[in-house]
Amino acid sequence: MIVTLTANPSIDRTVNLVGRLERGTVLRAAATHSDPGGKGVNVARALTSAGVAAVAVLPGNEGDPLLTALSEHGIEHVTVATSGPARTNITITEPDGTTTKVNEPGVVMSAESLADLQSEIIERGSRAEWVVLSGSLPPGIPTDWYATLVEALRSAPCRVAVDTSDAPLLALAERFPAAAPDLVKPNSEELAQLTGADGQLLEESALRGDPTATAHAGRQLVDRGVEAVLATLGAAGAVLVTEAGAWWATPPPIVARSTVGAGDSSLAGYLAAQMSGATPADCLRSAVAYGSAAAALPGTTLPTPEHVDIDAVTVTALISPAPDPA
């Protein structure tokens, strides 16, 4: 079982425009649709579609449209009471795949709801193989809460993956190695936040065929106690760094339609392969296959196994970056 935590879930409403997005004008939509969202919810959706047992833990109240949508999608979920309905995020996609997102902050979480959510995650972590902590934190939650959860789960048999950004990510890193998870999944910008690298240059270098800078940045986190770093690089694929080595995977050519959920799908693909006993290189291959499949789908649509072509992904073993000198 994989347990995902989404502290700030959402209804993700997608608007597909007929033409380009232009400020201050009246625009026409070709189509609209809504899906249950939030990064942990997305991971649970992709895992469930892949046949991997997953349960989404999130704040929510009876009658919330988000919970109705989760039930309609067949996603097992567990909720704790909160102060209001889930937020609505808006994704605007243009015909060339350009994506614009408008995310609401979410409802303020009370101390009681936070305590209930933390207890639920720790209890379920005692019976899970992985706990995934994903996404932003709503108002009312301390920025270092993910660090607190990682430390609290140390005594549980589960492994912990974290995918977040900005203040919660930096607060997590400030408490390494005590709060170092088994897996972190930064994109290039988030990896830059953690290491001081230039996120744009990381992607550009990988697109030119040189992922070395990303591998070295990932190695910095491994040296600080993280077991594995899965760094996603958009069209340049992804780099996986562990104590044992480093690998780079590149996707097949695709026509990108939306980047929403691509990182979540990559994480789901990695975990699905890991649960099946795959090697690190093949876990990375699965991650990139799922991420590129998501990017080829419109709006917030997530890939199912029939969308995924794992054999089309190329994996290259890199010279493992040497540890930083003490």
Side-chain angles (χ1 to χ4, degrees):
M1 172 67 72
I2 295 178
V3 176
T4 73
L5 169 66
T6 309
N8 205 11
S10 61
I11 290 288
D12 286 349
R13 182 166 177 78
T14 301
V15 180
N16 305 117
L17 296 181
V18 173
R20 292 183 58 189
L21 174 65
E22 297 183 23
R23 294 178 60 197
T25 64
V26 176
L27 305 171
R28 295 189 180 277
T32 65
H33 67 274
S34 297
D35 290 303
K39 294 181 71 63
V41 167
N42 288 342
V43 173
R45 286 175 57 196
L47 286 169
T48 300
S49 294
V52 178
V55 58
V57 177
L58 65 157
N61 303 316
E62 186 177 353
D64 191 320
L66 170 62
L67 304 187
T68 301
L70 284 172
S71 296
E72 290 173 347
H73 280 73
I75 308 303
E76 184 179 351
H77 56 279
V78 175
T79 64
V80 300
T82 189
S83 58
R87 60 186 175 146
T88 297
N89 293 338
I90 299 174
T91 299
I92 303 171
T93 64
E94 302 173 49
D96 66 355
T98 301
T99 302
T100 303
K101 290 203 70 178
V102 181
N103 289 348
E104 294 182 2
V107 299
V108 175
M109 183 170 290
S110 68
E112 181 180 4
S113 293
L114 178 60
D116 289 344
L117 196 58
Q118 181 163 324
S119 295
E120 190 69 47
I121 280 295
I122 293 172
E123 193 279 327
R124 290 192 173 267
S126 68
R127 296 178 280 121
E129 292 200 39
W130 280 93
V131 171
V132 179
L133 312 176
S134 286
S136 63
L137 298 177
I141 294 187
T143 56
D144 65 349
W145 189 51
Y146 283 149
T148 298
L149 286 178
V150 173
E151 292 177 5
L153 288 165
R154 285 287 188 206
S155 60
C158 64
R159 283 170 283 186
V160 182
V162 180
D163 181 11
T164 189
S165 61
D166 301 321
L169 180 64
L170 295 176
L172 176 74
E174 286 176 1
R175 286 165 60 175
F176 287 175
D182 299 275
L183 174 68
V184 292
K185 197 224 68 66
N187 59 26
S188 58
E189 181 180 345
E190 292 155 359
L191 186 58
Q193 290 176 349
L194 289 170
T195 63
D198 185 314
Q200 182 175 346
L201 287 180
L202 292 178
E203 281 202 26
E204 290 176 352
S205 296
L207 282 169
R208 292 194 299 268
D210 182 8
T212 306
T214 299
H216 277 280
R219 179 68 201 212
Q220 291 181 42
L221 303 184
V222 172
D223 290 343
R224 296 176 64 191
V226 177
E227 184 176 311
V229 179
L230 173 62
T232 52
L233 301 169
V239 169
L240 176 66
V241 183
T242 73
E243 187 66 39
W247 300 263
W248 176 38
T250 53
I254 63 165
V255 176
R257 301 180 67 184
S258 172
T259 58
V260 178
D264 306 327
S265 298
S266 293
L267 180 53
Y270 180 95
L271 294 175
Q274 198 281 331
M275 291 282 283
S276 72
T279 64
D282 283 337
C283 289
L284 176 62
R285 189 189 308 274
S286 179
V288 170
Y290 269 82
S292 62
L297 295 169
T300 54
T301 305
L302 299 179
T304 59
E306 57 264 29
H307 296 120
V308 177
D309 187 355
I310 291 179
D311 293 336
V313 176
T314 300
V315 177
T316 303
L318 304 175
I319 296 175
S320 183
D324 290 336

